[in-house]
Amino acid sequence: MGKDLKGKELGVGISQRKDGLYTARFTDRLGKRRQQYFKKLQECRNWLANAQFQNKHRGIYAASNMTVNAWFDYWINEIKRNNVRESTKALYENRYKINIEEQIGNMVIADIKPLHCQNILNKMADTYSNNTIKKVRTILYSLFADAEENGLISKNPVTKSVKCTSGKKPKEKKVLSVDEHKAFLKVAKESSYYNQYSFILQTGLRIGDNMVLVN
């Protein structure tokens, strides 16, 4: 893992020189070392992701016939791997598998139009909350924005006309009373997870908060 001048991890194949320039390097499938220098870290990461993609898929996939599934697999494991938290990566993978893959996964990426993206959101309207629908739109936009940036498509199909439909009204959240807390913990005392339940109730930790619970 390369590091910047402050010692921060930058990811495999990327480092920062003493003059401040970021260096991206890797060895291609022919054994040739490829390297470039950049002033900005994001430009460095984008070049490395694009070069590695072309190196990995040359002769296997071509931009003209690449499927959305093939691009998503590379996008999530290479481009997003060092740029998002593991919890965010898991969210992207989960929403893609549930809401996107079945509808457009086997389509050629260059054939995706705004109507395909809008149809994905429309089909979610009766089942999902508006917040979840917005997340899927964000994933679609980011997925195709990086495809456009890497020259796989000429234009991002998630245009301004692709709007989030009105989803289900979120369920009303109920806060447990003090007596309900006590009643729950009384029943949970026989559970091996009693300490975890007690800790969560006292601290208010949510799903996604960084924590390690042990028995």
Side-chain angles (χ1 to χ4, degrees):
M1 297 285 283
K3 298 182 179 181
D4 64 12
L5 297 179
K6 296 181 180 179
K8 181 181 179 181
E9 297 286 356
L10 298 176
V12 177
I14 298 178
S15 60
Q16 188 176 27
R17 306 194 316 179
K18 291 183 178 180
D19 60 5
L21 289 177
Y22 293 96
T23 304
R25 64 169 69 91
F26 75 101
T27 302
D28 66 21
R29 62 200 301 176
L30 301 178
K32 181 179 179 181
R33 186 178 183 184
R34 300 179 61 185
Q35 182 170 324
Q36 287 285 352
Y37 302 97
F38 302 87
K39 291 183 179 180
K40 296 182 179 179
L41 177 59
Q42 193 57 50
E43 291 178 352
C44 185
R45 285 174 169 162
N46 289 342
W47 177 85
L48 182 61
N50 185 35
Q52 289 178 325
F53 178 83
Q54 292 181 5
N55 175 64
K56 181 178 179 180
H57 296 294
R58 185 179 290 116
I60 300 176
Y61 300 105
S64 61
N65 63 11
M66 178 183 293
T67 65
V68 177
N69 279 343
W71 171 242
F72 178 82
D73 180 67
Y74 184 83
W75 179 76
I76 197 68
N77 291 304
E78 300 297 336
I79 295 179
K80 289 298 181 184
R81 182 180 61 183
N82 295 317
N83 295 327
V84 297
R85 295 182 301 176
E86 279 299 316
S87 59
T88 302
K89 180 174 179 288
L91 171 66
Y92 286 177
E93 292 174 320
N94 187 50
R95 293 269 61 96
Y96 181 84
K97 183 176 181 179
I98 295 174
N99 303 115
I100 301 172
E101 182 177 16
E102 183 177 350
Q103 296 193 57
I104 64 171
N106 291 322
M107 291 182 65
V108 174
I109 190 171
D111 290 341
I112 302 299
K113 306 298 182 186
L115 63 91
H116 297 116
C117 301
Q118 184 64 62
N119 192 45
I120 291 173
L121 304 183
N122 289 345
K123 287 189 174 183
M124 296 177 65
D126 295 332
T127 308
Y128 296 90
S129 68
N130 196 48
N131 185 51
T132 300
I133 297 173
K134 286 181 179 179
K135 288 178 180 177
V136 170
R137 188 190 187 281
T138 298
I139 294 169
L140 284 168
Y141 182 86
S142 183
L143 176 69
F144 291 118
D146 284 336
E148 179 184 2
E149 185 173 327
N150 284 282
L152 300 178
I153 55 177
S154 59
K155 184 179 179 180
N156 190 333
V158 186
T159 60
K160 291 183 179 180
S161 66
V162 178
K163 300 182 181 297
C164 295
T165 53
S166 297
K168 290 179 62 179
K169 185 178 179 180
K171 292 182 179 179
E172 185 177 348
K173 296 180 180 179
K174 181 180 183 299
V175 179
L176 296 179
S177 66
V178 174
D179 289 337
E180 288 172 328
H181 276 202
K182 293 179 179 178
F184 173 80
L185 291 176
K186 183 177 180 180
V187 175
K189 267 196 172 181
E190 302 302 320
S191 170
S192 60
Y193 295 105
Y194 174 78
N195 290 335
Q196 286 93 321
Y197 292 146
S198 180
F199 180 75
I200 291 172
L201 285 174
Q202 292 181 48
T203 60
L205 285 175
R206 303 164 299 172
I207 295 175
D209 288 333
N210 292 324
M211 62 177 179
V212 177
L213 298 178
V214 295
N215 291 328

